[in-house]
Amino acid sequence: MADEKTLVKENPYTQTHVVESGETLGKIAKKYYGDASLYNQIFEANRDVLKDPNKIFPGQTLRIP
Amino acid sequence: MKKQLTWLMAALMAMVIIGCSNQKGAAEQAVAGAESALSAVRDTAQKYVPDQLAATDAQLAAVKESLAKGDYKGVLAGVPPLNTAIGALKESAAAKASEAEAAMAKAKDAWGSTSAEVPKMVAAIQSRVDILSKSHHLPAGVTKDALANAKSGLETIKTAWSEAMNSASSGAYSAAMSKAAAVKEQATALAQSLGMPSG
């Protein structure tokens, strides 16, 4: 799983988000994009660590493109 | 007695003529030497200390004017301070050239990391702008104006970055770094306006 340090090394200007308990990609998309339907943007940017957009876990660090 | 006086007058005239001729030769030689010394430093001085060069040129012009008027005594009095000024000009120009070389080397070093960093910065902002453009509602803290400004700002940044890269590819690293600093400042402001971290 890519941790924050690795993601920052990839591109220090790409925002990251550490998943909290009870969060979904939709909630995260709503927070950063104002629109939950854009959850797929986050899913696609994290295909290396996410196999299913409905399965994210607390503590995972995700890229927020 | 009259014959002796004539010889004496002739001898005196000859001494005066020889004296004047010697002074003229010395004056011409001194001016030529100063001109040659100034010529050797002119290009560097023109680039790094043009004002000081102009002042030294004025001193040289004054000495040459004295020479043209036949004021050899004035020339011989004016050349030593002129030579001092040329020496000072040479030192100033060399010091400035050395400073410029050091600044260029420093900028060249810095360009390596900057040229890798700025495109990442631009890519991150571009990605966010593209996604926000698809959003039906913007996130808290991001206004429609901010998004519109970010779109146009990105184009400005890309143009400025292209100019910075052109400067670097032509070896003008100081200019490239100066342009890159402006790009980074603009990009940081854009990122913040979109609610992104600024790196």
Side-chain angles (χ1 to χ4, degrees), chain A residues 9-16 30-35 37-38 41 64-65, chain B residues 117 120-121 124 127-128 131-132 134-139 195-199:
Chain A
K9 199 176 169 186
E10 280 176 9
N11 184 347
Y13 300 98
T14 293
Q15 201 161 9
T16 57
K30 173 81 176 161
K31 176 181 177 180
Y32 292 103
Y33 307 143
D35 187 341
S37 70
L38 291 170
Q41 299 287 341
I64 308 297
Chain B
E117 184 185 359
K120 287 180 177 179
M121 211 172 180
S127 166
R128 183 61 60 92
I131 294 172
L132 288 177
K134 297 172 187 167
S135 181
H136 295 107
H137 309 281
L138 291 173
M196 298 170 71
S198 49

mmCIF file of all heavy atoms in Angstrom, chain A residues 9-16 30-35 37-38 41 64-65, chain B residues 117 120-121 124 127-128 131-132 134-139 195-199:
data_model
loop_
_atom_site.group_PDB
_atom_site.id
_atom_site.type_symbol
_atom_site.label_atom_id
_atom_site.label_comp_id
_atom_site.label_asym_id
_atom_site.label_seq_id
_atom_site.Cartn_x
_atom_site.Cartn_y
_atom_site.Cartn_z
ATOM 1 N N LYS A 9 6.484 11.756 -2.486
ATOM 2 C CA LYS A 9 7.686 11.651 -3.314
ATOM 3 C C LYS A 9 7.300 11.666 -4.800
ATOM 4 O O LYS A 9 7.988 12.238 -5.629
ATOM 5 C CB LYS A 9 8.424 10.357 -2.961
ATOM 6 C CG LYS A 9 9.874 10.349 -3.392
ATOM 7 C CD LYS A 9 10.556 9.088 -2.930
ATOM 8 C CE LYS A 9 11.918 8.947 -3.579
ATOM 9 N NZ LYS A 9 12.538 7.665 -3.243
ATOM 10 N N GLU A 10 6.179 11.018 -5.126
ATOM 11 C CA GLU A 10 5.694 11.002 -6.518
ATOM 12 C C GLU A 10 5.465 12.429 -6.994
ATOM 13 O O GLU A 10 5.934 12.833 -8.039
ATOM 14 C CB GLU A 10 4.335 10.296 -6.597
ATOM 15 C CG GLU A 10 4.386 8.802 -6.604
ATOM 16 C CD GLU A 10 2.974 8.220 -6.584
ATOM 17 O OE1 GLU A 10 1.994 8.980 -6.737
ATOM 18 O OE2 GLU A 10 2.855 7.006 -6.394
ATOM 19 N N ASN A 11 4.656 13.135 -6.227
ATOM 20 C CA ASN A 11 4.363 14.532 -6.557
ATOM 21 C C ASN A 11 3.938 15.240 -5.277
ATOM 22 O O ASN A 11 2.823 15.050 -4.803
ATOM 23 C CB ASN A 11 3.250 14.632 -7.600
ATOM 24 C CG ASN A 11 3.012 16.078 -8.018
ATOM 25 O OD1 ASN A 11 3.499 17.008 -7.371
ATOM 26 N ND2 ASN A 11 2.283 16.281 -9.087
ATOM 27 N N PRO A 12 4.835 16.043 -4.713
ATOM 28 C CA PRO A 12 4.529 16.691 -3.436
ATOM 29 C C PRO A 12 3.346 17.655 -3.518
ATOM 30 O O PRO A 12 2.845 18.102 -2.496
ATOM 31 C CB PRO A 12 5.818 17.446 -3.099
ATOM 32 C CG PRO A 12 6.527 17.597 -4.394
ATOM 33 C CD PRO A 12 6.153 16.416 -5.218
ATOM 34 N N TYR A 13 2.913 17.950 -4.736
ATOM 35 C CA TYR A 13 1.813 18.910 -4.886
ATOM 36 C C TYR A 13 0.459 18.220 -5.046
ATOM 37 O O TYR A 13 -0.567 18.883 -5.128
ATOM 38 C CB TYR A 13 2.097 19.850 -6.066
ATOM 39 C CG TYR A 13 3.369 20.614 -5.828
ATOM 40 C CD1 TYR A 13 4.564 20.203 -6.394
ATOM 41 C CD2 TYR A 13 3.390 21.704 -4.957
ATOM 42 C CE1 TYR A 13 5.743 20.875 -6.124
ATOM 43 C CE2 TYR A 13 4.561 22.374 -4.684
ATOM 44 C CZ TYR A 13 5.733 21.956 -5.271
ATOM 45 O OH TYR A 13 6.904 22.617 -4.993
ATOM 46 N N THR A 14 0.469 16.884 -5.147
ATOM 47 C CA THR A 14 -0.805 16.171 -5.202
ATOM 48 C C THR A 14 -1.298 16.001 -3.771
ATOM 49 O O THR A 14 -0.575 15.507 -2.915
ATOM 50 C CB THR A 14 -0.630 14.794 -5.877
ATOM 51 O OG1 THR A 14 -0.296 15.002 -7.244
ATOM 52 C CG2 THR A 14 -1.915 13.979 -5.808
ATOM 53 N N GLN A 15 -2.530 16.425 -3.559
ATOM 54 C CA GLN A 15 -3.102 16.354 -2.219
ATOM 55 C C GLN A 15 -3.319 14.890 -1.820
ATOM 56 O O GLN A 15 -3.585 14.044 -2.680
ATOM 57 C CB GLN A 15 -4.446 17.092 -2.236
ATOM 58 C CG GLN A 15 -4.924 17.548 -0.894
ATOM 59 C CD GLN A 15 -5.974 18.641 -1.026
ATOM 60 O OE1 GLN A 15 -6.454 18.928 -2.118
ATOM 61 N NE2 GLN A 15 -6.317 19.258 0.078
ATOM 62 N N THR A 16 -3.182 14.610 -0.546
ATOM 63 C CA THR A 16 -3.441 13.251 -0.061
ATOM 64 C C THR A 16 -4.489 13.304 1.045
ATOM 65 O O THR A 16 -4.707 14.355 1.652
ATOM 66 C CB THR A 16 -2.156 12.598 0.488
ATOM 67 O OG1 THR A 16 -1.639 13.421 1.525
ATOM 68 C CG2 THR A 16 -1.109 12.417 -0.588
ATOM 69 N N LYS A 30 -16.933 14.482 -2.053
ATOM 70 C CA LYS A 30 -17.772 15.629 -1.665
ATOM 71 C C LYS A 30 -16.909 16.681 -0.953
ATOM 72 O O LYS A 30 -17.046 17.888 -1.190
ATOM 73 C CB LYS A 30 -18.896 15.130 -0.744
ATOM 74 C CG LYS A 30 -19.758 16.215 -0.131
ATOM 75 C CD LYS A 30 -20.808 16.696 -1.090
ATOM 76 C CE LYS A 30 -21.733 17.717 -0.426
ATOM 77 N NZ LYS A 30 -22.452 18.512 -1.416
ATOM 78 N N LYS A 31 -16.005 16.186 -0.092
ATOM 79 C CA LYS A 31 -15.158 17.106 0.683
ATOM 80 C C LYS A 31 -14.230 17.917 -0.231
ATOM 81 O O LYS A 31 -14.099 19.131 -0.077
ATOM 82 C CB LYS A 31 -14.318 16.314 1.695
ATOM 83 C CG LYS A 31 -13.345 17.181 2.485
ATOM 84 C CD LYS A 31 -12.509 16.364 3.457
ATOM 85 C CE LYS A 31 -11.489 17.257 4.164
ATOM 86 N NZ LYS A 31 -10.662 16.500 5.119
ATOM 87 N N TYR A 32 -13.597 17.232 -1.179
ATOM 88 C CA TYR A 32 -12.580 17.917 -1.989
ATOM 89 C C TYR A 32 -13.115 18.530 -3.282
ATOM 90 O O TYR A 32 -12.551 19.501 -3.780
ATOM 91 C CB TYR A 32 -11.427 16.958 -2.322
ATOM 92 C CG TYR A 32 -10.618 16.597 -1.098
ATOM 93 C CD1 TYR A 32 -10.775 15.365 -0.471
ATOM 94 C CD2 TYR A 32 -9.721 17.508 -0.549
ATOM 95 C CE1 TYR A 32 -10.048 15.040 0.663
ATOM 96 C CE2 TYR A 32 -8.990 17.200 0.590
ATOM 97 C CZ TYR A 32 -9.155 15.969 1.192
ATOM 98 O OH TYR A 32 -8.438 15.661 2.318
ATOM 99 N N TYR A 33 -14.184 17.924 -3.818
ATOM 100 C CA TYR A 33 -14.694 18.408 -5.107
ATOM 101 C C TYR A 33 -16.085 19.031 -5.009
ATOM 102 O O TYR A 33 -16.575 19.591 -5.992
ATOM 103 C CB TYR A 33 -14.750 17.261 -6.136
ATOM 104 C CG TYR A 33 -13.442 16.512 -6.303
ATOM 105 C CD1 TYR A 33 -13.435 15.134 -6.506
ATOM 106 C CD2 TYR A 33 -12.216 17.176 -6.265
ATOM 107 C CE1 TYR A 33 -12.247 14.439 -6.665
ATOM 108 C CE2 TYR A 33 -11.024 16.481 -6.415
ATOM 109 C CZ TYR A 33 -11.044 15.119 -6.612
ATOM 110 O OH TYR A 33 -9.870 14.431 -6.767
ATOM 111 N N GLY A 34 -16.712 18.866 -3.840
ATOM 112 C CA GLY A 34 -18.056 19.416 -3.668
ATOM 113 C C GLY A 34 -19.124 18.554 -4.307
ATOM 114 O O GLY A 34 -20.293 18.925 -4.339
ATOM 115 N N ASP A 35 -18.718 17.389 -4.849
ATOM 116 C CA ASP A 35 -19.654 16.557 -5.607
ATOM 117 C C ASP A 35 -19.301 15.079 -5.391
ATOM 118 O O ASP A 35 -18.269 14.607 -5.871
ATOM 119 C CB ASP A 35 -19.525 16.931 -7.093
ATOM 120 C CG ASP A 35 -20.575 16.258 -7.960
ATOM 121 O OD1 ASP A 35 -21.167 15.254 -7.510
ATOM 122 O OD2 ASP A 35 -20.778 16.729 -9.088
ATOM 123 N N SER A 37 -20.525 12.501 -6.642
ATOM 124 C CA SER A 37 -20.539 11.656 -7.849
ATOM 125 C C SER A 37 -19.171 11.591 -8.533
ATOM 126 O O SER A 37 -18.971 10.785 -9.435
ATOM 127 C CB SER A 37 -21.591 12.170 -8.838
ATOM 128 O OG SER A 37 -21.171 13.398 -9.396
ATOM 129 N N LEU A 38 -18.259 12.417 -8.091
ATOM 130 C CA LEU A 38 -16.911 12.410 -8.693
ATOM 131 C C LEU A 38 -15.968 11.440 -7.965
ATOM 132 O O LEU A 38 -14.754 11.515 -8.132
ATOM 133 C CB LEU A 38 -16.319 13.830 -8.690
ATOM 134 C CG LEU A 38 -17.014 14.810 -9.643
ATOM 135 C CD1 LEU A 38 -16.540 16.240 -9.388
ATOM 136 C CD2 LEU A 38 -16.746 14.436 -11.097
ATOM 137 N N GLN A 41 -13.038 9.675 -9.723
ATOM 138 C CA GLN A 41 -11.751 10.362 -9.977
ATOM 139 C C GLN A 41 -10.712 9.904 -8.950
ATOM 140 O O GLN A 41 -9.548 9.691 -9.282
ATOM 141 C CB GLN A 41 -11.928 11.890 -9.873
ATOM 142 C CG GLN A 41 -12.915 12.480 -10.859
ATOM 143 C CD GLN A 41 -12.369 12.505 -12.283
ATOM 144 O OE1 GLN A 41 -11.165 12.423 -12.504
ATOM 145 N NE2 GLN A 41 -13.266 12.611 -13.252
ATOM 146 N N ILE A 64 -5.512 12.574 -3.896
ATOM 147 C CA ILE A 64 -6.696 13.347 -4.280
ATOM 148 C C ILE A 64 -6.277 14.199 -5.479
ATOM 149 O O ILE A 64 -5.664 15.248 -5.308
ATOM 150 C CB ILE A 64 -7.191 14.261 -3.127
ATOM 151 C CG1 ILE A 64 -7.382 13.457 -1.832
ATOM 152 C CG2 ILE A 64 -8.471 14.971 -3.532
ATOM 153 C CD1 ILE A 64 -8.445 12.365 -1.901
ATOM 154 N N PRO A 65 -6.545 13.703 -6.685
ATOM 155 C CA PRO A 65 -6.026 14.417 -7.868
ATOM 156 C C PRO A 65 -6.696 15.778 -8.066
ATOM 157 O O PRO A 65 -7.741 16.040 -7.499
ATOM 158 C CB PRO A 65 -6.339 13.474 -9.019
ATOM 159 C CG PRO A 65 -7.483 12.661 -8.551
ATOM 160 C CD PRO A 65 -7.336 12.523 -7.061
ATOM 161 N N GLU B 117 10.403 20.193 -10.374
ATOM 162 C CA GLU B 117 9.361 20.512 -9.399
ATOM 163 C C GLU B 117 8.165 21.251 -10.017
ATOM 164 O O GLU B 117 7.007 20.899 -9.759
ATOM 165 C CB GLU B 117 10.006 21.381 -8.307
ATOM 166 C CG GLU B 117 9.118 21.726 -7.155
ATOM 167 C CD GLU B 117 9.821 22.680 -6.195
ATOM 168 O OE1 GLU B 117 10.996 23.036 -6.425
ATOM 169 O OE2 GLU B 117 9.173 23.073 -5.235
ATOM 170 N N LYS B 120 5.413 19.359 -11.888
ATOM 171 C CA LYS B 120 4.558 18.584 -10.971
ATOM 172 C C LYS B 120 3.504 19.491 -10.337
ATOM 173 O O LYS B 120 2.349 19.109 -10.156
ATOM 174 C CB LYS B 120 5.415 17.946 -9.869
ATOM 175 C CG LYS B 120 6.258 16.781 -10.359
ATOM 176 C CD LYS B 120 7.073 16.186 -9.229
ATOM 177 C CE LYS B 120 7.873 14.977 -9.696
ATOM 178 N NZ LYS B 120 8.690 14.410 -8.614
ATOM 179 N N MET B 121 3.944 20.678 -10.003
ATOM 180 C CA MET B 121 3.053 21.669 -9.398
ATOM 181 C C MET B 121 1.920 22.002 -10.377
ATOM 182 O O MET B 121 0.742 22.009 -10.014
ATOM 183 C CB MET B 121 3.898 22.926 -9.135
ATOM 184 C CG MET B 121 3.512 23.753 -7.974
ATOM 185 S SD MET B 121 4.794 25.024 -7.741
ATOM 186 C CE MET B 121 4.077 25.843 -6.331
ATOM 187 N N ALA B 124 -0.506 19.044 -10.899
ATOM 188 C CA ALA B 124 -1.443 18.864 -9.782
ATOM 189 C C ALA B 124 -2.590 19.875 -9.873
ATOM 190 O O ALA B 124 -3.759 19.534 -9.664
ATOM 191 C CB ALA B 124 -0.707 19.013 -8.455
ATOM 192 N N SER B 127 -4.890 19.030 -12.882
ATOM 193 C CA SER B 127 -5.751 17.898 -12.562
ATOM 194 C C SER B 127 -6.949 18.352 -11.725
ATOM 195 O O SER B 127 -8.097 17.984 -12.001
ATOM 196 C CB SER B 127 -4.925 16.856 -11.803
ATOM 197 O OG SER B 127 -5.770 15.915 -11.204
ATOM 198 N N ARG B 128 -6.672 19.192 -10.723
ATOM 199 C CA ARG B 128 -7.755 19.651 -9.849
ATOM 200 C C ARG B 128 -8.730 20.550 -10.612
ATOM 201 O O ARG B 128 -9.947 20.453 -10.439
ATOM 202 C CB ARG B 128 -7.172 20.390 -8.634
ATOM 203 C CG ARG B 128 -8.220 20.851 -7.619
ATOM 204 C CD ARG B 128 -9.013 19.680 -7.022
ATOM 205 N NE ARG B 128 -8.172 18.733 -6.327
ATOM 206 C CZ ARG B 128 -7.899 18.786 -5.020
ATOM 207 N NH1 ARG B 128 -8.423 19.732 -4.279
ATOM 208 N NH2 ARG B 128 -7.129 17.877 -4.463
ATOM 209 N N ILE B 131 -11.030 18.383 -12.750
ATOM 210 C CA ILE B 131 -12.067 17.673 -11.986
ATOM 211 C C ILE B 131 -13.119 18.652 -11.468
ATOM 212 O O ILE B 131 -14.326 18.397 -11.570
ATOM 213 C CB ILE B 131 -11.430 16.868 -10.830
ATOM 214 C CG1 ILE B 131 -10.557 15.751 -11.410
ATOM 215 C CG2 ILE B 131 -12.509 16.279 -9.922
ATOM 216 C CD1 ILE B 131 -9.719 15.002 -10.387
ATOM 217 N N LEU B 132 -12.671 19.780 -10.935
ATOM 218 C CA LEU B 132 -13.630 20.760 -10.400
ATOM 219 C C LEU B 132 -14.538 21.302 -11.507
ATOM 220 O O LEU B 132 -15.670 21.697 -11.250
ATOM 221 C CB LEU B 132 -12.898 21.909 -9.698
ATOM 222 C CG LEU B 132 -12.238 21.564 -8.354
ATOM 223 C CD1 LEU B 132 -11.494 22.766 -7.795
ATOM 224 C CD2 LEU B 132 -13.261 21.060 -7.337
ATOM 225 N N LYS B 134 -15.869 19.590 -13.692
ATOM 226 C CA LYS B 134 -16.945 18.605 -13.896
ATOM 227 C C LYS B 134 -17.923 18.598 -12.719
ATOM 228 O O LYS B 134 -18.963 17.950 -12.786
ATOM 229 C CB LYS B 134 -16.346 17.194 -14.017
ATOM 230 C CG LYS B 134 -15.434 16.995 -15.205
ATOM 231 C CD LYS B 134 -14.756 15.625 -15.109
ATOM 232 C CE LYS B 134 -13.707 15.450 -16.195
ATOM 233 N NZ LYS B 134 -12.844 14.281 -15.952
ATOM 234 N N SER B 135 -17.539 19.260 -11.633
ATOM 235 C CA SER B 135 -18.336 19.193 -10.407
ATOM 236 C C SER B 135 -19.620 20.021 -10.512
ATOM 237 O O SER B 135 -19.618 21.112 -11.084
ATOM 238 C CB SER B 135 -17.488 19.693 -9.235
ATOM 239 O OG SER B 135 -18.230 19.615 -8.049
ATOM 240 N N HIS B 136 -20.701 19.468 -9.944
ATOM 241 C CA HIS B 136 -21.973 20.205 -9.943
ATOM 242 C C HIS B 136 -22.001 21.244 -8.836
ATOM 243 O O HIS B 136 -22.720 22.228 -8.917
ATOM 244 C CB HIS B 136 -23.141 19.223 -9.798
ATOM 245 C CG HIS B 136 -23.267 18.301 -10.974
ATOM 246 N ND1 HIS B 136 -22.931 16.967 -10.929
ATOM 247 C CD2 HIS B 136 -23.645 18.537 -12.258
ATOM 248 C CE1 HIS B 136 -23.118 16.424 -12.127
ATOM 249 N NE2 HIS B 136 -23.547 17.360 -12.951
ATOM 250 N N HIS B 137 -21.238 20.983 -7.771
ATOM 251 C CA HIS B 137 -21.148 21.945 -6.664
ATOM 252 C C HIS B 137 -19.682 22.038 -6.282
ATOM 253 O O HIS B 137 -19.022 21.013 -6.172
ATOM 254 C CB HIS B 137 -21.941 21.461 -5.441
ATOM 255 C CG HIS B 137 -23.342 21.077 -5.769
ATOM 256 N ND1 HIS B 137 -24.349 21.997 -5.947
ATOM 257 C CD2 HIS B 137 -23.906 19.856 -5.980
ATOM 258 C CE1 HIS B 137 -25.470 21.362 -6.252
ATOM 259 N NE2 HIS B 137 -25.234 20.062 -6.280
ATOM 260 N N LEU B 138 -19.208 23.231 -6.074
ATOM 261 C CA LEU B 138 -17.796 23.370 -5.689
ATOM 262 C C LEU B 138 -17.644 23.110 -4.190
ATOM 263 O O LEU B 138 -18.585 23.325 -3.423
ATOM 264 C CB LEU B 138 -17.291 24.773 -6.049
ATOM 265 C CG LEU B 138 -17.177 25.027 -7.561
ATOM 266 C CD1 LEU B 138 -16.839 26.483 -7.839
ATOM 267 C CD2 LEU B 138 -16.136 24.118 -8.192
ATOM 268 N N PRO B 139 -16.468 22.651 -3.778
ATOM 269 C CA PRO B 139 -16.270 22.377 -2.349
ATOM 270 C C PRO B 139 -16.239 23.671 -1.537
ATOM 271 O O PRO B 139 -16.059 24.760 -2.091
ATOM 272 C CB PRO B 139 -14.912 21.682 -2.311
ATOM 273 C CG PRO B 139 -14.208 22.146 -3.531
ATOM 274 C CD PRO B 139 -15.265 22.359 -4.558
ATOM 275 N N GLY B 195 -8.120 25.292 -2.629
ATOM 276 C CA GLY B 195 -8.161 24.478 -1.415
ATOM 277 C C GLY B 195 -7.117 23.384 -1.390
ATOM 278 O O GLY B 195 -7.241 22.403 -0.656
ATOM 279 N N MET B 196 -6.069 23.542 -2.210
ATOM 280 C CA MET B 196 -5.002 22.530 -2.246
ATOM 281 C C MET B 196 -3.835 22.978 -1.378
ATOM 282 O O MET B 196 -3.637 24.172 -1.183
ATOM 283 C CB MET B 196 -4.491 22.357 -3.687
ATOM 284 C CG MET B 196 -5.538 21.877 -4.652
ATOM 285 S SD MET B 196 -4.934 21.984 -6.347
ATOM 286 C CE MET B 196 -3.723 20.672 -6.362
ATOM 287 N N PRO B 197 -3.049 21.994 -0.907
ATOM 288 C CA PRO B 197 -1.837 22.392 -0.176
ATOM 289 C C PRO B 197 -0.868 23.009 -1.180
ATOM 290 O O PRO B 197 -0.921 22.686 -2.365
ATOM 291 C CB PRO B 197 -1.287 21.067 0.364
ATOM 292 C CG PRO B 197 -1.817 20.039 -0.570
ATOM 293 C CD PRO B 197 -3.141 20.539 -1.058
ATOM 294 N N SER B 198 -0.003 23.892 -0.712
ATOM 295 C CA SER B 198 0.903 24.557 -1.665
ATOM 296 C C SER B 198 2.280 23.917 -1.665
ATOM 297 O O SER B 198 3.253 24.523 -2.079
ATOM 298 C CB SER B 198 0.991 26.042 -1.351
ATOM 299 O OG SER B 198 1.246 26.228 0.010
ATOM 300 N N GLY B 199 2.373 22.674 -1.219
ATOM 301 C CA GLY B 199 3.642 21.943 -1.314
ATOM 302 C C GLY B 199 4.499 22.112 -0.102
ATOM 303 O O GLY B 199 4.245 22.865 0.770
#
